[in-house]
Amino acid sequence: MGVINFIIENILTQASITIALIALLGLVLQKKSIGQIISGTLKTLLGFQVLSAGSSIIVGSLTYFGRIFTKGFQMQGIIPSIEAINGQAMNELGLGREIALTFLAIFIFNILFARFTPWKYIFLTGQAILWMATMTTIFGYFAGLRGIVLILVGGIVGAIFAVMMPAIAQPIIRKVTGSDDIALGHFCTMGYLFEAGVAKIFGEKGTKKKSIEEMKLPTHFEFLQDTYLSVMVVMVPLYIVTVMFAGESFASELSGGQNYVMFAFLQAIQFVVGVYVLLAGVRLLLGEIVPAFRGIAMKLVPDAIPALDCPVFFPYSPNAVILGFITTTVGTIIAMFTLPMFGLAMILPGMLTNFFAGGTAGIFGNAIGGRRGAIIGGIAHGFFITLLPALLVTIFNSMGFINATATDVDTVTAALLYAWLLSPILKVL
């Protein structure tokens, strides 16, 4: 068990190590030279670490923004946190071993499904698999499952999501990237598909469909066609206006003595720096992982496609990412005030989810319905990803997880399937 825990905690949940080892395996299977194997493996590791560094910069900036946003607009409610749920499940329920083994089972079943079914997708976002394992283990436990049955059922359910979600999203990913070299491996995919559906209904169609990436600007504003400058023009006013609402006394505590407005300005710039670093990492990663993965596709799982985390797709439609972030945030705010009217919990907007999931959803909405589809679909997406966690709150309360819920809508859906379908069936049996 100690060896398994070491592998899970130090290798499989470390996405950069996992992907580097997969690149190593792919290059070995292609019988590349020692130099090419070392180069390809290390560049893959470096690319993912650069991507992660960019994500960390963005997370730091958005964490600050979330605090001033909550204070500035006097918001009180539940902040979704799968990390807190995971900690409570392991410490209070003693499910750490089961979660670890379910994680491993999902990984193994994913490979088996990819090998023997038409769904040829290998899900490589380790952290997302960990959250899926957490959710299936907790809800399987409360449904009455124990031991090996709990682990196997969780592994099968999680693996089905791991191959099914990339498969369903691939037609749109193909439209965005122009190929089938990579797929989307992120357990917010139902939200992306929801936005795509709304965009198809309410978005632009035929010759009227115009991508946000094709937006033409007057000569004086052509500098906004630069991705990073356009992000800066949006984020700087957003941060400064929000910090003004938060007030000097509160914001000064976060700025460590620096002028609070200037600190907010620099945090907005940090956000842009994070985007720059993230996209540089994506370019380096894709240059190595796709050729290396062909070795696995040829030898182990014919026609296998790597399903990668959502930031990998940001360079394909950067303007849609920012539009998706903004519109999803609007949708979450609307849902925050609307859902309590129907007896549901008030879920506070999560800025990290709004950026990463909202940005990816914006790519989907723009690809299917153009600018209008991305705007309307983005607002609907924000409402949708707030509604599902709100539905989960009541169930969690009954299980002893007070005022707790999760964000990734695929894992939330898996939990609701356990609560609404599997648990009643088991009680009858």
Side-chain angles (χ1 to χ4, degrees):
M1 188 61 204
V3 174
I4 293 175
N5 279 334
F6 178 84
I7 293 173
I8 291 172
E9 293 172 5
N10 297 283
I11 298 177
L12 295 181
T13 55
Q14 301 299 317
S16 60
I17 301 295
T18 302
I19 289 180
L21 290 176
I22 288 172
L24 171 65
L25 177 61
L27 293 168
V28 169
L29 290 174
Q30 292 181 74
K31 299 181 179 179
K32 298 290 185 181
S33 68
I34 296 295
Q36 289 174 315
I37 292 172
I38 294 173
S39 174
T41 302
L42 293 181
K43 282 186 178 180
T44 299
L45 177 64
L46 178 62
F48 200 93
Q49 288 290 67
V50 173
L51 185 157
S52 298
S55 295
S56 296
I57 296 171
I58 292 171
V59 166
S61 176
L62 286 178
T63 300
Y64 163 79
F65 180 73
R67 295 184 67 181
I68 61 174
F69 185 88
T70 302
K71 176 67 175 179
F73 298 102
Q74 299 299 314
M75 294 180 176
Q76 294 183 343
I78 298 171
I79 300 175
S81 174
I82 184 65
E83 294 86 351
I85 295 168
N86 177 266
Q88 188 174 343
M90 289 195 295
N91 296 326
E92 297 182 16
L93 298 178
L95 292 175
R97 174 177 173 273
E98 286 77 7
I99 290 173
L101 291 175
T102 300
F103 177 101
L104 190 60
I106 291 173
F107 196 80
I108 293 171
F109 280 120
N110 180 187
I111 294 173
L112 291 175
F113 288 159
R115 178 66 178 85
F116 297 108
T117 74
W119 292 338
K120 303 298 181 182
Y121 301 92
I122 308 293
F123 198 100
L124 296 179
T125 309
Q127 200 73 1
I129 295 178
L130 177 60
W131 303 145
M132 179 63 78
T134 298
M135 204 68 85
T136 56
T137 300
I138 291 172
F139 277 81
Y141 179 83
F142 278 95
L145 302 179
R146 296 292 185 273
I148 189 65
V149 177
L150 171 65
I151 294 164
L152 290 178
V153 171
I156 291 171
V157 170
I160 289 173
F161 274 87
V163 294
M164 183 175 66
M165 291 297 109
I168 296 173
Q170 193 60 16
I172 300 175
I173 290 297
R174 188 183 305 118
K175 184 188 291 285
V176 171
T177 64
S179 75
D180 277 320
D181 288 340
I182 55 175
L184 176 63
H186 195 220
F187 281 140
C188 294
T189 302
M190 291 189 68
Y192 309 151
L193 298 172
F194 179 81
E195 169 151 349
V198 173
K200 186 173 182 63
I201 296 171
F202 297 103
E204 300 157 350
K205 298 175 178 63
T207 56
K208 293 182 179 180
K209 187 171 81 171
K210 297 184 184 295
S211 169
I212 187 67
E213 309 302 329
E214 300 171 356
M215 186 169 60
K216 293 184 178 180
L217 299 169
T219 305
H220 295 301
F221 296 98
E222 283 183 348
F223 70 94
L224 293 177
Q225 292 178 341
D226 182 288
T227 298
Y228 308 108
L229 293 180
S230 64
V231 173
M232 193 182 301
V233 166
V234 171
M235 300 309 290
V236 168
L238 189 63
Y239 273 60
I240 290 178
V241 170
T242 303
V243 83
M244 297 296 286
F245 274 94
E248 182 175 359
S249 60
F250 176 80
S252 295
E253 295 176 8
L254 303 179
S255 63
Q258 186 176 356
N259 178 274
Y260 73 106
V261 177
M262 182 56 67
F263 187 79
F265 170 79
L266 292 177
Q267 285 295 314
I269 301 301
Q270 277 290 96
F271 179 91
V272 182
V273 171
V275 172
Y276 181 89
V277 175
L278 184 149
L279 296 184
V282 167
R283 287 190 288 269
L284 181 58
L285 173 66
L286 290 183
E288 300 298 328
I289 189 63
V290 172
F293 203 84
R294 291 197 185 102
I296 295 175
M298 290 186 294
K299 299 288 185 180
L300 300 181
V301 183
D303 302 319
I305 301 174
L308 304 174
D309 204 355
C310 62
V312 169
F313 301 91
F314 288 2
Y316 293 98
S317 194
N319 292 342
V321 171
I322 300 304
L323 182 61
F325 169 48
I326 294 171
T327 53
T328 293
T329 299
V330 171
T332 57
I333 293 172
I334 293 172
M336 180 185 66
F337 290 113
T338 303
L339 295 179
M341 298 179 185
F342 297 91
L344 295 173
M346 176 179 281
I347 306 296
L348 298 184
M351 291 303 161
L352 297 179
T353 300
N354 288 356
F355 177 70
F356 288 104
T360 310
I363 295 175
F364 275 60
N366 181 65
I368 298 300
R371 301 172 195 171
R372 190 171 70 216
I375 293 171
I376 299 174
I379 295 172
H381 173 256
F383 196 96
F384 180 74
I385 66 171
T386 306
L387 172 62
L388 289 190
L391 292 173
L392 197 59
V393 170
T394 304
I395 300 172
F396 264 133
N397 284 341
S398 67
M399 294 162 55
F401 295 82
I402 305 303
N403 290 334
T405 191
T407 50
D408 295 359
V409 292
D410 294 354
T411 60
V412 174
T413 300
L416 293 175
L417 287 174
Y418 267 84
W420 292 345
L421 185 63
L422 181 61
S423 184
I425 291 175
L426 289 175
K427 287 178 181 177
V428 170
L429 296 177

